[in-house]
Amino acid sequence: VQVPGWGGGLVTLGEPTKFGGFGDSASASAFVRPSIAGQYSQAGRVQQRAKTNQDTTLICKLSSNIQVFAVFDGHGSDGHVIATWLAQEMPQALERALGSGGGNEEDGNGVVASVSKAFLDLDDAAKQALGADMLFVSGSTATVALHKGGALMVAGIGDSRSILGGPSPDSEIRVLTTKHNPADPIERARIESMGGEVKVFPDELPIEETGQGRVFKAGDWSPGLAVARAFGDFACKEVGVIALPDVSTVTTAGKQQVLIIASDGVWDVLDDATALQLCLTYAVSQDSAAAARTLVDTSREIWECMVDGTNFAIDDISAIVVFLP
């Protein structure tokens, strides 16, 4: 089934299939109910006018029966170009890195290394396919989840995020991604060691108040990237920005949990508990598309209240919701 995103690129959803864990055989996965996933994306606004949606979502299935759910959040003048390209190319990159058997399924570290390699290879491929000039100050964040049976792996770069929770509102919420803030000590050390500088623009609140920094060339006021890891952004790659993801793994079998992947247009205005509670409203119906739309619509309403009467921009907002068996 092909589901068109609203201005956010094409989402491809494979036919319902039963999946085993990364190390399970086909026979062992025979009684695993398939996950139910849905997405929704809405363009933001600049100067009271709708902007090009630079978010793209992806839902697909690899040949090894691994489900893939991903959100890409582009930035810069050509951010929509690389975000769309990444959604088109990520499945093939994962196929190549993992191999037809889903990677070395007995070696968890090997699978993590394969997914990380897919990110790095794709960053190099983007430079070749789209050009270093186009992507000099344009790029994209990414959060990519791989699910098979009871095994869930999430790889991310930038400030899109993923959480896992449920089946009740008071359940533990697990944050599956790292926000790659340039002001983070680890990120900052790498950036400064490569000739970069972490600060903010003069009209922004200081790092000491917000905890958020930007990446600049030392002694300069460019480029000013707000994340320490991203695809593209090759001006910043010269000063320590990387495309290496942080990867987390978790077991989900039999827990009936909800996986949320969303761009920062959601997380800038909704806390994790509220996002989960909104999605759990649809836990009985398993209407993942409605859950994703509710996340996006609720976030947009909050954005509208925040910028009411001003010319401040509203970010693109995208979410994928997956009801895991």
Side-chain angles (χ1 to χ4, degrees), residues 60-109:
C60 70
K61 182 181 69 175
L62 303 183
S63 61
S64 50
N65 280 347
I66 296 174
Q67 292 173 304
V68 178
F69 316 107
V71 170
F72 305 94
D73 182 355
H75 50 260
S77 60
D78 291 302
H80 59 293
V81 177
I82 184 173
T84 301
W85 183 88
L86 288 167
Q88 294 170 345
E89 298 297 324
M90 179 62 75
Q92 291 85 357
L94 291 170
E95 291 274 19
R96 289 191 295 268
L98 290 169
S100 60
N104 183 351
E105 298 182 346
E106 302 302 321
D107 179 7
N109 290 332

Side-chain angles (χ1 to χ4, degrees), residues 94-285:
L94 291 170
E95 291 274 19
R96 289 191 295 268
L98 290 169
S100 60
N104 183 351
E105 298 182 346
E106 302 302 321
D107 179 7
N109 290 332
V111 177
V112 170
S114 294
V115 172
S116 298
K117 182 179 186 302
F119 272 59
L120 297 175
D121 288 349
L122 205 52
D123 194 44
D124 289 338
K127 189 174 185 178
Q128 297 298 319
L130 302 178
D133 290 341
M134 173 182 285
L135 301 181
F136 195 61
V137 289
S138 292
S140 179
T141 69
T143 297
V144 180
L146 289 78
H147 180 251
K148 187 176 182 183
L152 175 66
M153 178 178 294
V154 179
I157 55 176
D159 55 8
S160 298
R161 298 178 64 244
S162 178
I163 65 170
L164 181 71
S168 63
D170 58 352
S171 300
E172 177 189 6
I173 298 174
R174 298 192 63 169
V175 178
L176 303 177
T177 47
T178 301
K179 183 177 180 179
H180 294 125
N181 176 4
D184 176 87
I186 294 176
E187 307 296 326
R188 187 171 195 160
R190 184 186 66 252
I191 291 164
E192 292 178 345
S193 72
M194 295 185 66
E197 183 179 5
V198 177
K199 55 186 179 182
V200 294
F201 288 115
D203 61 347
E204 294 179 320
L205 293 173
I207 295 175
E208 292 74 19
E209 291 188 29
T210 66
Q212 176 64 48
R214 293 180 180 272
V215 181
F216 297 88
K217 295 180 179 180
D220 200 348
W221 286 107
S222 66
L225 183 64
V227 293
R229 304 192 192 193
F231 286 110
D233 290 301
F234 290 107
C236 292
K237 294 285 166 63
E238 300 172 1
V239 290
V241 170
I242 58 176
L244 180 70
D246 279 327
V247 183
S248 61
T249 58
V250 63
T251 300
T252 65
K255 299 180 181 179
Q256 297 182 337
Q257 293 184 304
V258 182
L259 174 68
I260 303 173
I261 307 169
S263 62
D264 61 341
V266 170
W267 305 116
D268 283 350
V269 296
L270 291 181
D271 60 40
D272 295 349
T274 301
L276 177 62
Q277 188 170 6
L278 288 170
C279 292
L280 287 176
T281 304
Y282 300 92
V284 174
S285 67

Side-chain angles (χ1 to χ4, degrees), residues 1-12 39-41 57:
V1 181
Q2 290 189 327
V3 184
W6 180 10
L10 185 66
V11 178
T12 303
Q39 67 84 40
Y40 196 71
S41 182
T57 57

Side-chain angles (χ1 to χ4, degrees), residues 43-46 51 299-300 303-304 307 312-317:
R45 191 178 71 204
V46 176
K51 62 183 289 294
S299 299
R300 179 59 181 251
W303 275 98
E304 294 280 3
V307 306
F312 289 125
I314 294 177
D315 201 2
D316 303 325
I317 309 170

